[in-house]
Amino acid sequence: MKLLSFIFSLGALGYGAYWVDHNNPQLKTKAIEFIQRGEFHTLEARFSVQQIMDLNRKMLLKDERHKFLDPVVKFAPYLFMEVKYSTPENQTGEGVILWDLLTGEMVLNTNHWEKTHGFSDCINAHVESNEFRVIRTLAERGGVLDRESLLRFMQTENDILGGWLDILQRKKLIVHSQGQYRLHLQNPRLSVRPHTLIDDRLVTKTAKSSERLPKRFHLKKIKRMAEAAFGQDFAVRHTLNVYLPIYCISIENPDGSIHTSYWNAISGKSLPFTSLLE
């Protein structure tokens, strides 16, 4: 009887969906919008879109033939982590990390929105903790060392170090040239403490799911990278998905073409990696 009841209920639900789809499409649209709407956490915007448009009007509008179109707000995904770790002073530090789930980089502070550079390459290459020890050693010493110096700083055996170096070369993260090993990154920024300076409040928003940009990096990989980067004493105590409001400001050109730029609502600065937001 329970099975028959379940089948009957499933059939009724299916027929109801079919009836709504064919007889009341407006109700269907409202139902979809309701499902897609949801409350989520976001950093509180410091700048309104109008302030950014006013402050950058001369740059955005080359002359009177160019005009603003209606701006759009999008929300970029970030991972907010409460963490604890050991400091170089042999003490326990506690703090929070804000990690960009579009670029795979860690935010160092929200005042100027400075970020690391190189973590995304390490995540994509599935770097292990010992491999990152080599990367960190190079990063802390200008990005270039010979093998003898690496052995001295890392205090490991030659054969073991050789294995790590071979793996990192295959992963295109380091380059060996003229007896020197260097990080295969332009202006790497990896030697940092696991802490983001945040001067902004978290607030809640309600918006359609289509306004939230999809993640390119996910929790499991970010946590694994952070644990590899910040040592065995690093621990994630709590995580939260948060979003950064981004303004998409479009300009209509005289020939009818449209140029869109993207702006950080916290820092008020334009975002350089626009391809990530399209």
Side-chain angles (χ1 to χ4, degrees), residues 39-42 202-206:
E39 193 173 80
F40 57 94
H41 297 281
T42 176
L202 285 177
V203 296
T204 55
K205 291 275 188 181
T206 302

Side-chain angles (χ1 to χ4, degrees), residues 139-263:
E140 288 173 349
R141 291 162 178 85
V144 181
L145 286 173
D146 58 29
R147 193 183 185 109
E148 184 178 341
S149 299
L150 278 168
L151 282 168
R152 184 171 68 255
F153 288 126
M154 297 191 64
Q155 298 182 344
T156 189
E157 297 179 11
N158 187 40
D159 290 345
I160 294 175
L161 175 62
W164 297 339
L165 293 172
D166 289 343
I167 292 172
L168 289 171
Q169 287 181 83
R170 288 199 299 270
K171 291 181 176 181
K172 308 300 182 184
L173 292 174
I174 65 171
V175 173
H176 183 224
S177 177
Q178 298 179 345
Q180 301 283 320
Y181 292 92
R182 65 173 174 83
L183 289 176
H184 195 27
L185 296 163
Q186 185 177 11
N187 301 320
R189 195 169 190 181
L190 293 165
S191 182
V192 297
R193 285 197 182 189
H195 178 75
T196 301
L197 179 61
I198 300 179
D199 290 332
D200 305 276
R201 298 187 302 174
L202 285 177
V203 296
T204 55
K205 291 275 188 181
T206 302
K208 295 179 182 179
S209 61
S210 60
E211 295 175 356
R212 282 175 273 175
L213 299 170
K215 302 171 185 176
R216 297 199 171 190
F217 294 84
H218 295 275
L219 170 63
K220 186 177 180 180
K221 290 185 177 181
I222 296 297
K223 286 182 67 176
R224 183 179 177 184
M225 181 72 265
E227 288 165 357
F230 300 124
Q232 62 181 2
D233 296 327
F234 175 84
V236 178
R237 305 169 71 181
H238 179 67
T239 64
L240 182 70
N241 287 317
V242 302
Y243 289 82
L244 167 70
I246 290 173
Y247 301 132
C248 309
I249 300 177
S250 296
I251 309 296
E252 184 176 348
N253 300 318
D255 62 359
S257 61
I258 296 173
H259 170 73
T260 301
S261 57
Y262 303 90
W263 299 79

